[in-house]
Amino acid sequence: MSRTTSWHSAVSERIPGGRDGRRMLVVSIIDKTGTGLWAGCAVLYFTYVSGLGLGQVGLLMTVSGGVGIAGSPLAGRLADRYPLVTIIVGAQLMRGAALLLLLTTDNLLLLTLYSALGALPDRAGSVLIKLYAARLAGRDRVRYQAIQRTTVNIGWSIGGLGAAAALATGSTRAYGLLLIGNVLTYVVIAALTLRCAEPPAPSRVAATSTTSPAPATTGEPAPSRPTSPWRDRTFLGYTATDAALFLDDTILQVAVPLWIVHATSAPVGLAPLLLVLNTVLVVIFQVPLARFGATTKAARRLLVPLAGLFLTGTLALAASAAGGTALAVTALVVAVVALTFAEIIHATASWELSVALAPAHAQGAYLGVHGIAQSAQRFAGPLLVTGVMAAGALAWPVLGLGLVAAGAAQHRLIRDRLTQPSPSPSLSVAKVTVSEH
């Protein structure tokens, strides 16, 4: 065997899903590089180019964020009915088209409409990639998602640095160029996605299996599960508690910078450094720690240390306001480290548990509903954490205890579901989603 062949074999073993898995990772890093170019200057674009006021920008972001919540369940339903690759490509092109439309008007109503149209496929993106990973990587889906998340953070960093360099010119023209740069990345990733093979869909395999002979019975009736996630109380409860556990994102991205400015004596320049620390830790530890959630039982066990990390992080945030620059800086670093590891662990557990709780015949619909958890958190999270900050330092431990309660409720809620046997061995998620690569 040649050295080149050996190298390719080694890469394939490290990245689940073979060539298509690697290709989709390239899609992710290009996607997030483009998003990083635009996300950091979107609000500034609406302010300096479109001429909107602060209240108008807030209204636009709120409305588009609320509409975007529907993107996840809609994408999930479509993914159970149509080829996944086609839906991903359609979402990518829709994102690009909606973004281009922003260049055509300064009207608040139209800008809000176009932003909302772009938010739908944008929020659907994470669900579609999770579905692709679950169908392509099979039993290695947690590791694949960890690798994918690492590439996402790298892409965000590259795009953010590019945006910072462009905006340093001080020209309003830079905002339009960054927008167009993001649109071009959507065109590139759509072309790359078309080269990816369509993974086996559990819903189609499940439908086919209904024509095959029924499995031998053991005298015990097969457990009955709802056919729709909207009628599945256990899954809806899991999604609700997961929305709370996604709050680490808003705390790190929104609350920490504002808390530094308004409640501590730490230097303002610490805020971007802490965000860099968060990104670096995710890039370094997301993949190695994924092995601790590689099975469904292991993923459920991660909810215990997750609760401890949330409590540590919120206590540290409270301590950072106690006085003194040294204490503030130290406590803030501890808080960000604890909350970043909470982010890493929760991502690992959530990937596995959301797929494990979804029946094979409706995997897309279930994961689409679960996607609401993160979208809802992004929509309501900023209002919640700013309310906590307004209440004072002691409100942080209260929020921490609330997150501990959410984790405990989820741990108890999903216990019985995860111990039930599958209704039919032929519909097992693991058997259906094992990659053929």
Side-chain angles (χ1 to χ4, degrees):
M1 181 182 293
S2 68
R3 185 173 299 178
T4 302
T5 303
S6 299
W7 182 84
H8 280 293
S9 298
V11 171
S12 297
E13 290 178 2
R14 289 195 298 269
I15 300 178
R19 179 180 300 174
D20 290 317
R22 296 194 299 273
R23 190 170 287 153
M24 193 57 74
L25 291 178
V26 174
V27 166
S28 293
I29 196 169
I30 296 175
D31 180 5
K32 295 308 177 184
T33 297
T35 303
L37 286 173
W38 171 245
C41 71
V43 173
L44 299 178
Y45 174 88
F46 293 126
T47 301
Y48 294 116
V49 178
S50 300
L52 301 183
L54 181 61
Q56 291 176 315
V57 173
L59 175 64
L60 182 152
M61 302 299 288
T62 300
V63 172
S64 60
V67 172
I69 293 176
S72 296
L74 178 61
R77 294 285 293 181
L78 291 173
D80 280 336
R81 290 171 168 77
Y82 304 103
L84 182 55
V85 168
T86 302
I87 298 172
I88 295 175
V89 171
Q92 292 161 345
L93 294 177
M94 183 176 174
R95 291 165 74 189
L99 207 55
L100 271 180
L101 287 172
L102 296 179
L103 295 173
T104 66
T105 183
D106 293 334
N107 180 272
L108 174 61
L109 181 60
L110 290 177
L111 288 172
T112 302
L113 173 63
Y114 299 153
S115 297
L117 289 176
L120 282 169
D122 183 68
R123 295 294 183 268
S126 60
V127 172
L128 295 173
I129 294 299
K130 179 188 285 187
L131 274 170
Y132 194 89
R135 294 177 181 181
L136 184 72
R139 299 178 189 275
D140 292 327
R141 58 182 177 250
V142 171
R143 176 173 171 78
Y144 182 86
Q145 283 279 52
I147 297 172
Q148 192 268 344
R149 192 164 189 267
T150 300
T151 65
V152 163
N153 277 272
I154 294 172
W156 269 107
S157 300
I158 296 172
L161 291 173
L167 296 180
T169 64
S171 170
T172 55
R173 185 183 179 188
Y175 297 107
L177 293 176
L178 290 171
L179 184 154
I180 293 172
N182 191 15
V183 171
L184 290 176
T185 63
Y186 291 141
V187 176
V188 172
I189 62 177
L192 288 174
T193 303
L194 283 172
R195 299 181 62 191
C196 294
E198 178 70 21
S203 56
R204 294 173 193 148
V205 174
T208 302
S209 68
T210 59
T211 61
S212 59
T217 60
T218 59
E220 294 293 334
S224 175
R225 295 187 183 180
T227 58
S228 168
W230 299 108
R231 298 178 181 177
D232 190 334
R233 294 182 180 178
T234 298
F235 193 81
L236 291 177
Y238 166 74
T239 299
T241 54
D242 229 29
L245 298 181
F246 273 119
L247 200 63
D248 58 78
D249 179 64
T250 298
I251 295 175
L252 287 166
Q253 302 294 327
V254 178
V256 168
L258 291 175
W259 188 249
I260 289 173
V261 173
H262 294 288
T264 78
S265 56
V268 176
L270 181 64
L273 295 178
L274 290 176
L275 292 178
V276 171
L277 175 61
N278 166 258
T279 300
V280 170
L281 289 175
V282 171
V283 170
I284 293 174
F285 291 104
Q286 187 71 73
V287 175
L289 293 181
R291 69 180 185 273
F292 293 106
T295 67
T296 305
K297 288 183 178 180
R300 180 171 174 262
R301 286 196 296 267
L302 287 178
L303 296 174
V304 176
L306 175 63
L309 288 167
F310 272 128
L311 192 57
T312 300
T314 50
L315 285 171
L317 284 174
S320 68
T325 301
L327 174 61
V329 171
T330 302
L332 286 166
V333 170
V334 171
V336 168
V337 170
L339 291 170
T340 299
F341 277 99
E343 175 187 351
I344 292 170
I345 287 177
H346 177 241
T348 299
S350 182
W351 292 332
E352 172 60 26
L353 293 175
S354 58
V355 175
L357 290 168
H361 66 277
Q363 192 181 71
Y366 269 70
L367 293 186
V369 169
H370 178 257
I372 294 176
Q374 196 164 15
S375 297
Q377 184 277 140
R378 289 176 180 174
F379 177 69
L383 180 62
L384 175 61
V385 298
T386 51
V388 168
M389 288 188 290
L394 291 180
W396 283 117
V398 174
L399 177 63
L401 290 173
L403 294 174
V404 169
Q410 185 176 114
H411 190 273
R412 174 65 181 84
L413 180 70
I414 63 178
R415 182 187 65 181
D416 294 338
R417 170 69 67 85
L418 296 179
T419 56
Q420 286 181 356
S422 299
S424 168
S426 62
L427 301 187
S428 167
V429 171
K431 290 180 179 295
V432 169
T433 60
V434 169
S435 172
E436 296 176 357
H437 291 265

